[in-house]
Amino acid sequence: MKRLAVPSWLVAVVSAAATVGVVFGLQAARSLLVPLLLALFLAILASTPVRWLRSVHVPEWIAVALVVLGIFGVVLLVAGLVGTSIAELTRRIPQYQDRLRSDFASVEQRLTEAGMSSGEILDMVDPSAALGLAGNVLTGVTGVFGGGFLIFFALVFMLLEASRFPDKLYYAFRGSEETLAHFGRLSWVLNRYLGLKTLTSALTGVAIFLFLSIIGLDFALLWATVAFLFNYIPNIGSVIASVPAVLIAYLQLGPATAIGVAVGYLAVNVSVGNLLEPRVMGEGMGLSTLVVFLSLLFWGFVFGPVGMLLSVPLTMSVKLALESADATRDWATLLAAKAPSSTGASGTRGDGPTPP
């Protein structure tokens, strides 16, 4: 029987329609998927201490309980302290607005003479707008943790399943060593990235907290938490994290201190982001800079603030999944930082870390 040839344009249209449907389906299921995604990546991070506890002969359920309780204890402690800071900051915003408007009175007069309305000028100097992005991300993340029971139980079950999952993979795909190798590489790469990124983000947050505490800036813990979270956001996260702290430094301590805070943020981010991270992460995740930026926008659109924080590991998972099949391997090359070597093997990409 003769098969009908399907026009290439029809294949492209159907594929585009299916992609759009999947994207908006993921967005519609955000309330369920985001806590599960967060639990998955927490499980990847927690698997290392669980394995260490198991290596010193701690029973599996006790090791999982200790790690999970430790994670949620830290999250609840920081959330409580940060929540107090946010409430106090919200109470002080009218004072900051009055101070900023007073400082810009002469500028306002000149802009009014140039034909701008007073409403437009007040919008330009509204500190609540400048603090809005950081507040939205913090609210989004803490809102996800508001569904703590789902994350808690999903994390527990994922960690309990982790010790048996490799055996299940082996029996499910024992005829395909290549598939098993791809699963192993995905697990290793995500574990390595999330672990090292969490350490460098924590180092950034601690350095920012100590620096702001020394100069006496209000809400130092809040700005340190913002710096910790935004360090997961590639390219622009560290820059955005510095904006509210610099603004508050100007309003509280004056322009000279605000400049000092900006320089301090720059020094910390250059030291950790440009000097330390490349050394500990090696060649990185093998994603091009443009893809990293576009993934930030895409996953932020699909999953909100948590999608922005997890944009790199999510995109890396997609890239490794595309690499696992011959039919989609060329698409993975489009996401890579560089094209694979023409002399390399077909399954080797040369654009990311290689698991031991």
Side-chain angles (χ1 to χ4, degrees):
M1 184 175 179
K2 195 173 182 179
R3 297 178 63 183
L4 295 176
V6 180
S8 58
W9 65 266
L10 181 59
V11 174
V13 169
V14 172
S15 300
T19 301
V20 171
V22 169
V23 169
F24 281 94
L26 291 174
Q27 189 181 49
R30 177 192 298 184
S31 60
L32 174 64
L33 293 177
V34 166
L36 293 178
L37 270 178
L38 202 55
L40 174 61
F41 287 110
L42 285 174
I44 293 173
L45 283 173
S47 62
T48 299
V50 168
R51 282 197 302 268
W52 179 83
L53 289 172
R54 296 285 289 126
S55 70
V56 295
H57 308 294
V58 176
E60 182 181 34
W61 69 273
I62 295 180
V64 170
L66 289 175
V67 172
V68 171
L69 290 176
I71 290 174
F72 276 86
V74 172
V75 169
L76 291 176
L77 176 62
V78 173
L81 295 174
V82 170
T84 302
S85 297
I86 292 177
E88 179 63 19
L89 174 62
T90 302
R91 188 182 66 81
R92 292 192 191 182
I93 278 181
Q95 302 175 20
Y96 291 143
Q97 287 175 319
D98 293 339
R99 168 72 186 275
L100 196 58
R101 289 168 182 171
S102 175
D103 289 347
F104 279 83
S106 60
V107 177
E108 181 180 352
Q109 182 179 358
R110 294 180 183 179
L111 291 176
T112 303
E113 293 173 355
M116 293 187 66
S117 68
S118 59
E120 292 173 330
I121 297 168
L122 292 178
D123 289 339
M124 291 173 59
V125 297
D126 185 2
S128 61
L131 296 169
L133 181 56
N136 288 339
V137 172
L138 283 171
T139 301
V141 174
T142 55
V144 171
F145 277 103
F149 281 110
L150 176 59
I151 298 176
F152 176 83
F153 285 112
L155 177 58
V156 169
F157 290 133
M158 287 176 185
L159 289 175
L160 290 174
E161 186 72 14
S163 62
R164 294 177 284 273
F165 191 65
D167 292 334
K168 291 183 177 181
L169 279 179
Y170 176 78
Y171 284 105
F173 299 101
R174 58 184 178 273
S176 175
E177 294 295 331
E178 184 179 0
T179 301
L180 291 173
H182 281 296
F183 271 110
R185 183 167 184 258
L186 174 61
S187 175
W188 182 85
V189 168
L190 291 179
N191 193 299
R192 181 176 183 273
Y193 173 80
L194 288 172
L196 293 175
K197 192 65 175 178
T198 298
L199 288 176
T200 56
S201 297
L203 180 60
T204 299
V206 170
I208 293 296
F209 175 74
L210 293 175
F211 169 66
L212 297 182
S213 298
I214 289 172
I215 67 174
L217 187 67
D218 289 341
F219 315 116
L221 179 61
L222 175 61
W223 310 134
T225 304
V226 170
F228 168 77
L229 291 175
F230 274 61
N231 197 57
Y232 285 94
I233 300 177
N235 300 330
I236 62 173
S238 298
V239 176
I240 298 174
S242 67
V243 172
V246 171
L247 179 59
I248 295 300
Y250 172 82
L251 296 174
Q252 179 190 346
L253 303 171
T257 304
I259 294 174
V261 169
V263 172
Y265 266 87
L266 179 62
V268 171
N269 290 324
V270 167
S271 300
V272 177
N274 295 344
L275 298 179
L276 180 61
E277 276 193 13
R279 287 181 178 273
V280 297
M281 290 191 178
E283 296 181 2
M285 299 295 286
L287 298 173
S288 75
T289 304
L290 176 61
V291 168
V292 169
F293 178 72
L294 294 178
S295 71
L296 170 66
L297 301 179
F298 174 77
W299 293 114
F301 168 75
V302 175
F303 291 133
V306 174
M308 296 172 66
L309 298 178
L310 299 177
S311 60
V312 170
L314 286 171
T315 304
M316 194 60 201
S317 301
V318 172
K319 177 175 176 288
L320 292 175
L322 292 175
E323 286 180 353
S324 65
D326 292 335
T328 57
R329 192 163 289 157
D330 291 339
W331 289 96
T333 303
L334 297 177
L335 303 180
K338 57 184 178 181
S341 173
S342 58
T343 60
S346 61
T348 302
R349 284 292 170 267
D351 52 7
T354 301

